[in-house]
Structure formats: C-alpha cells, structure tokens
Amino acid sequence: MCMSRHYDVDAVRREFPAVERMVYLDSGFQTPLARPVKAAIELFLREGIETAGPKSVWLDRVERTRAKVARLLGVTADEIAFTKNTSESMNIAANALPLQAGDNVLMIHGDHPNNAYAFLNLQRKGVEIRFIPMTDVVDAESFAPFIDERTRAISMSHVTFHAGHRFDIESIGAMCASEKLYFVVDVMQAIGVVPVDAKAIGASFIGSGSHKGLLVPQGLGLLYWDKSLAELEPAYLAAASLAEIPDDLIARPDKMAPSPAARRFELGNFNLPAVHALGASLDMIEEIGVQNIQNHCFDLGDHLIARLDELGVRLVGPRDRQHRAPHIYVIALPASDWLGHFEENGVRVSPERDGIRVSLGMFNTVTDIDRLIDVVRKRGLGRPSAAA
Ligand SMILES: Cc1ncc(COP(=O)(O)O)c(C=O)c1O
C-alpha cells in the first residue's frame, strides 16, 4: 500500500492504468490519462456517433467546465476563455496589451520559449523585450532595477519547466499594481498541482494549456483575463467574440464591440472532446483538492531530495519548499548519458538543460521515487559528470 498523508493515493492510482505499467515520473511533459477522462471523451464520441449531437448539450458542458476552471483560479466564469494551448493564450495576451513603439516588456532569460516568442514577436511593432537574469529566487526586487518610464508589462512563468523554480508571483503582481504594469503569467507547469489564485496574484492575464497538471490530452488551453481591464481588446475577431452577435449572422461593420466577457478572446468552435475531458479531470482535482496534491508532491520531493543527498547527486534548481515547485525536480545526471538507462529500466523521465527532469503527478508514490533511486544505484555513479 502506498501511503499519503493527504489523500487516498492508491485509489487515485487505480484511475491511471499507465502508471502501473511503468514508473511514470514525467507529468511535466504530459499527463497519463485517467479513466474518468476517457469516459468523458467516450460519452462525447457516443453522442456524436449515435445522435450527431446535440450541440446545445455539448455547449452547456463547455459552460459548466468554464465555471469549474473559474473556481480553480478563484475568478468568475466570464473571466475565462478557452484557447488551443499556452502559446495561443500568451500570444492573445501579448497582442491585447496597448503597447507602442519604444515601450518595453520585462521577461526572465531562459523562461519557456512559448511565452518568450509571443512577446519577442512584438519587436515588429518596435516594442523592446528586456530579459532579467534567471536566479533561484525571482521576486519583485529582481525586476525593480529594470523598470523605467517606458516599462508597460511583465510576462513570466509561475513554475519553470526546466528546473522547477516557483517564483514569487504575488510580490511581482503587487509591484505591477503599484507601478501600473500589466502582468501576464504562464501557469502551464503550475496549474492542477500548485494553487493559483488569480486575484491574489493580481494578474492581467493568466495562460495555460491542460495536458500536464490538468490531466487532459493536448490541444486545449485556458486564458484568464481580468475583466476590469476593458481596454485589453482581442487582436483577432470572430462572431462569438462580439458583445452583440447578429441573429441573422450577417456581419455588421458598425456593431463590432467585443464581448464584456473573456469570450472576446475566443475564436470559433471549441475543442469539444478536450473540454469534456477537462470537465472530468477538474472534478477529480476538485475532489482531492489542489492544496492536498501540492502537499503530497512536496512530501515526495522531500523524500527524493533526501535520497539524492544519500547518493551525492545534486539537485538543479531550488531545494527549499518556499522556492521550489512541489512536483518538478531536475537531477544533475547528464541526460545524454542517463536517459537511455532510465528508458531501459522502465522509468519515464525527461531530458532537460541541466540534467534529468523528474516530474510528479497526483498518482505518484514513495515507491516510484525509490524505484528511480534503485535504477540510479544499479548503474552507479562512476562517471565524474554524474555526481555533485
Ligand atoms: C511553462 C510552459 N509554458 C508552455 C508550455 C507549452 O506550451 P503549449 O501549451 O503552447 O504547448 C510548457 C510545456 O510544454 C511549459 O512548460
């Protein structure tokens, strides 16, 4: 039996058949699918095959899922838009900001490229992108020296994919409020494992995909928009983005005001199978509680760090709970040497810039961590590059 102080992890594990077939430590890459997610997609397929709809039922589920996403982020449903993935969310955000040539946006060097490129593309409009250095701790003080009178926004990840930093976005959000800067946050690696409270963060936009902590197949993203920022308008428009959708579906050039809700940023039809999947996965997450998932992953992370210390293998990125993500750990074993060994021994992990990334999900256990350590021991650390 695999104990957790926070919830019945054995019961959770039974919902993820893949994790009994391998040691799955790669949720930061993509989630294995759970049975309730499969059932929700199958329901959609059955309805499509047997009754060709009805679309109104599907759209009703879209709205119920939107409300669940809103609950997860502590906001109202009219502040949530569905997108394709994080990249689309970040591009929508970047292009909605009222930026002019000579303005600048601050980002963190080495942050996820899907966030960086969305903003770097604004260089075409003459917007300057300034990168601050990435250190284990990034907070308001890290950004402050780079702000000048033309700084308009900060965009960054909450949790980094490549070393599991968990940055102090509350302090940065508070500084953005006092300096009147827009604040755009990519929560792709945080959501579903780390509590994300959009209002406490003070974000203007929050973007994410859903194929990691949200347990859904690729192809569905989320965008939170602070609806008090009505000046943030969409760069692209479709009928459903408008405040008034013409009944006869004939476009009216004189009635193009965007919706007062976040659907102003939505384009056309939805990824309905994935939205069904998300409805089911959010029920699972809500039932366990994100705080419990976070605490469980922190406990596993403490165990991993202790076992790595015994072996003399260094952790890349922050060690203490205050600054590290609960579920993403990069260990200083060169990926080119070690990835094949993990694969051969049935352990799924990812290669990263500075080592091997071990990333946890709600279903992982101490036994998974111990199996990883056994696989490291089995090969030994004879190579000088492997140890601290
Ligand atoms: C921080 C972060 N942002 C974004 C992405 C992915 O972007 P997208 O959802 O557009 O594929 C990832 C990983 O896949 C990530 O780690």
Side-chain angles (χ1 to χ4, degrees), residues 121-142:
N121 201 28
L122 299 178
Q123 291 179 139
R124 295 191 304 171
K125 295 184 182 172
V127 174
E128 184 195 348
I129 309 303
R130 293 184 181 168
F131 288 102
I132 75 160
M134 175 153 342
T135 46
D136 272 4
V137 179
V138 171
D139 56 15
E141 279 182 29
S142 319

Side-chain angles (χ1 to χ4, degrees), residues 310-361:
E310 281 165 25
L311 284 180
V313 176
R314 185 171 60 85
L315 184 74
V316 177
R319 278 176 74 94
D320 61 295
R321 282 192 179 205
Q322 196 192 343
H323 300 299
R324 75 179 209 240
H327 57 310
I328 297 180
Y329 300 91
V330 174
I331 58 182
L333 298 176
S336 54
D337 279 1
W338 281 84
L339 195 60
H341 177 68
F342 285 120
E343 269 169 20
E344 283 157 23
N345 286 278
V347 177
R348 276 274 291 272
V349 287
S350 270
E352 264 312 330
R353 289 174 199 168
D354 299 310
I356 292 285
R357 184 180 68 192
V358 174
S359 52
L360 309 173

Side-chain angles (χ1 to χ4, degrees), residues 287-303:
E287 199 182 321
I288 300 169
V290 178
Q291 191 69 49
N292 287 326
I293 298 170
Q294 169 167 268
N295 291 341
H296 173 64
C297 290
F298 266 136
D299 287 354
L300 296 182
D302 289 345
H303 182 69

Side-chain angles (χ1 to χ4, degrees), residues 246-298:
D247 287 338
D248 57 6
L249 295 183
I250 297 173
R252 302 285 195 289
D254 55 335
K255 282 200 175 155
M256 290 182 43
S259 166
R263 71 177 165 79
R264 62 170 53 192
F265 297 109
E266 287 177 346
L267 285 168
N269 278 291
F270 298 99
N271 179 347
L272 288 172
V275 172
H276 279 68
L278 182 61
S281 67
L282 286 172
D283 288 344
M284 292 174 71
I285 292 167
E286 212 169 278
E287 199 182 321
I288 300 169
V290 178
Q291 191 69 49
N292 287 326
I293 298 170
Q294 169 167 268
N295 291 341
H296 173 64
C297 290
F298 266 136

Side-chain angles (χ1 to χ4, degrees), residues 109-184:
H109 177 78
D111 203 340
H112 199 280
N114 288 355
N115 185 12
Y117 285 124
F119 284 87
L120 283 169
N121 201 28
L122 299 178
Q123 291 179 139
R124 295 191 304 171
K125 295 184 182 172
V127 174
E128 184 195 348
I129 309 303
R130 293 184 181 168
F131 288 102
I132 75 160
M134 175 153 342
T135 46
D136 272 4
V137 179
V138 171
D139 56 15
E141 279 182 29
S142 319
F143 280 101
F146 296 85
I147 295 175
D148 65 18
E149 69 285 354
R150 294 303 300 270
T151 305
R152 299 281 176 262
I154 291 177
S155 180
M156 62 182 288
S157 295
H158 184 186
V159 165
T160 65
F161 70 103
H162 70 280
H165 308 85
R166 184 168 49 90
F167 293 133
D168 182 5
I169 50 175
E170 275 85 6
S171 84
I172 299 163
M175 183 189 63
C176 286
S178 71
E179 298 285 330
K180 302 205 175 354
L181 308 180
Y182 295 109
F183 189 31
V184 182

